Amino acid sequence: MPVSEGSDFPVDNLPYGVFSTPGTPRRVGVAIGGWVLDLGAVLDDPDFRAPALNAHLSRGPERWAEVRARIVELLTDERRRPLVEPNLIPLDRVTLHLPFEVADYVDFYASEHHAANLGRILRPGQDPLPPNWRHLPLGYHGRAGTVVVSGTPVVRPRGQHLEHGAPGPVDGPSRRLDVEVELGFVVGVPTVPGESVPTSRFDRHVFGVVLLNDWSARDLQAWEYVPLGPFLGKSFATSISPWVVPMAALRAARVPGPPQSPEPVGYLREERHWSLDITFELELNGEVVSRPPFAQMYWSPAQLLAHLTANGAALRTGDLYASGTVSGPGPGEAGSLIELTWGGTRPLRLRDGSARTFLEDGDVVTIRASAPSASGGRLGFGALTGRVLPAVPRPER
């Protein structure tokens, strides 16, 4: 398959998604260059004629590797052209859907730079990190039913928030709507209740990754989060990209993670602490405003999974867990507007002359990312996009 230079989807990527064309059902395909290969048609496997990836996710790493090798063969062996060519559909002619049925959703807080920035903004003069932060990955359970695919509009949430200097809370549309640039991990192989997953078995359970935007209403969140943490300020929408990039495609992106001190307790230790060399781009209305680096994340993907299951909580096929906001140490490396505008005190100036502290109705947020590929080039994850719609009025009593 000829793939144009700079494409997100070279043959050493092959991300999985769910697509349809007018008058046809949803089914599974892989992206290659500017095309989608219909897997159900070329592999004659009912797993890929399903409207979600879950059946394939559940098969485990041996089957994942077998199918990937077969797809590579189909796309690189000239003798396979009569089978492949009729089942390639241009990307601009398909509709992309949520790629898997989300079982549970958990969001972590794994970036030391993000956590420290928020601590300095929200608790000036105090230690920016809580005392437990370097001992365990902090997280919260989200709402799986509000995970949506890229392109789905996001309605501005309403809720209680406390205006500065007001005697009590008011109910109304959020005025501090924010984004969070994150990486989401898609679980394939489940576990049984009581079983925990050691860091060494991460790639036996996690199939791949998606880009993720954990939309956040900072004013709702600030009023509600003590003492139980995020709730309505987060649960209204979480967007993910339509393509699941397999962990097998990211082997060349594995890099050492930052040093950890103190040494983690036993179940969080890794033989080799590793992260992923993924660089994100955060666009606001078509303008890149930040480039967060994932390689700076303090807690690794394997440590997040180990902690998620440390108490014996069972994994399910289709579980999604997210890294938390990706932020780096340098200017222009923050993955949220609350950091980029320092809590709204330093407005972000855009090329069109406008300024933003938080999102306005009509704003379009796009997240992209790239990583080293096995062939020495780069691979991408596709775009993750969402437009902010005005809040919906509450119904009259």
Side-chain angles (χ1 to χ4, degrees):
M1 274 293 298
V3 176
S4 61
E5 186 176 352
S7 169
D8 276 358
F9 307 128
V11 73
D12 43 5
N13 188 350
L14 301 179
Y16 289 73
V18 169
F19 74 99
S20 64
T21 53
T24 66
R26 299 182 186 190
R27 66 260 196 211
V28 177
V30 295
I32 175 70
W35 306 80
V36 180
L37 178 64
D38 187 338
L39 290 186
V42 297
L43 296 182
D44 193 26
D45 184 333
D47 285 358
F48 300 120
R49 291 192 286 271
L53 262 171
N54 295 57
H56 182 57
L57 298 178
S58 70
R59 302 303 179 201
E62 287 76 20
R63 178 59 177 163
W64 302 340
E66 178 186 344
V67 169
R68 182 174 175 83
R70 175 62 173 155
I71 296 170
V72 170
E73 178 198 359
L74 289 171
L75 293 171
T76 56
D77 187 339
E78 181 65 29
R79 294 171 297 176
R80 307 303 180 191
R81 181 178 293 274
L83 172 61
V84 170
E85 208 161 56
N87 294 297
L88 287 168
I89 306 164
L91 270 170
D92 59 8
R93 296 185 189 174
V94 306
T95 299
L96 297 173
H97 305 277
L98 197 67
F100 58 98
E101 295 176 0
V102 181
D104 282 316
Y105 167 53
V106 171
D107 193 23
F108 283 100
Y109 194 43
S111 166
E112 181 176 3
H113 301 292
H114 172 68
N117 282 340
L118 285 194
R120 294 184 185 105
I121 292 168
L122 302 176
R123 299 181 300 276
Q126 301 179 38
D127 188 335
L129 296 178
N132 59 353
W133 198 91
R134 289 192 179 91
H135 293 274
L136 55 84
L138 301 181
Y140 73 92
H141 284 273
R143 190 165 184 172
T146 55
V147 176
V148 296
V149 72
S150 173
T152 305
V154 173
V155 177
R156 182 178 297 274
R158 303 177 67 96
Q160 287 192 35
H161 50 278
L162 187 65
E163 301 286 352
H164 179 69
V170 296
D171 174 40
S174 169
R175 296 184 180 181
R176 295 167 68 89
L177 183 60
D178 200 356
V179 300
E180 291 191 340
V181 174
E182 304 194 23
L183 193 65
F185 297 86
V186 182
V187 172
V189 177
T191 60
V192 298
E195 179 183 359
S196 58
V197 177
T199 55
S200 61
R201 294 186 62 82
F202 162 80
D203 56 0
R204 303 289 300 177
H205 293 272
V206 172
F207 173 77
V209 301
V210 291
L211 305 183
L212 187 144
N213 184 350
D214 183 34
W215 303 85
S216 300
R218 300 296 186 188
D219 41 4
L220 276 62
Q221 181 183 358
W223 176 239
E224 74 182 2
Y225 85 101
V226 177
L228 295 182
F231 186 38
L232 300 182
K234 298 277 194 176
S235 63
F236 57 95
T238 300
S239 300
I240 64 171
S241 54
W243 298 107
V244 183
V245 174
M247 294 307 302
L250 295 174
R251 287 184 179 133
R254 290 181 64 160
V255 292
Q260 295 181 323
S261 179
E263 184 179 11
V265 299
Y267 73 93
L268 288 171
R269 291 176 191 162
E270 293 181 273
E271 193 169 309
R272 179 190 173 200
H273 179 59
W274 64 273
S275 186
L276 294 166
D277 181 14
I278 298 174
T279 300
F280 290 83
E281 287 187 342
L282 171 61
E283 293 180 10
L284 180 54
N285 298 331
E287 180 178 342
V288 176
V289 297
S290 179
R291 290 184 170 86
F294 191 85
Q296 294 285 332
M297 300 296 276
Y298 186 89
W299 294 107
S300 79
Q303 288 174 317
L304 299 183
L305 185 67
H307 190 63
L308 175 61
T309 60
N311 65 348
L315 295 176
R316 294 194 290 172
T317 298
D319 278 355
L320 172 67
Y321 72 91
S323 62
T325 304
V326 180
S327 291
E333 292 184 339
S336 63
L337 291 179
I338 193 171
E339 295 171 87
L340 289 169
T341 68
W342 208 249
T345 63
R346 306 170 189 169
L348 195 64
R349 303 291 174 182
L350 301 179
R351 284 196 304 258
D352 63 5
S354 65
R356 292 290 187 280
T357 51
F358 293 95
L359 296 174
E360 297 182 3
D361 293 347
D363 282 347
V364 176
V365 175
T366 301
I367 298 171
R368 306 179 196 274
S370 67
S373 69
S375 61
R378 304 286 294 180
L379 59 83
F381 297 73
L384 169 56
T385 299
R387 180 186 294 273
V388 179
L389 298 184
V392 175
R394 293 207 192 281
E396 300 260 342
R397 287 186 180 177

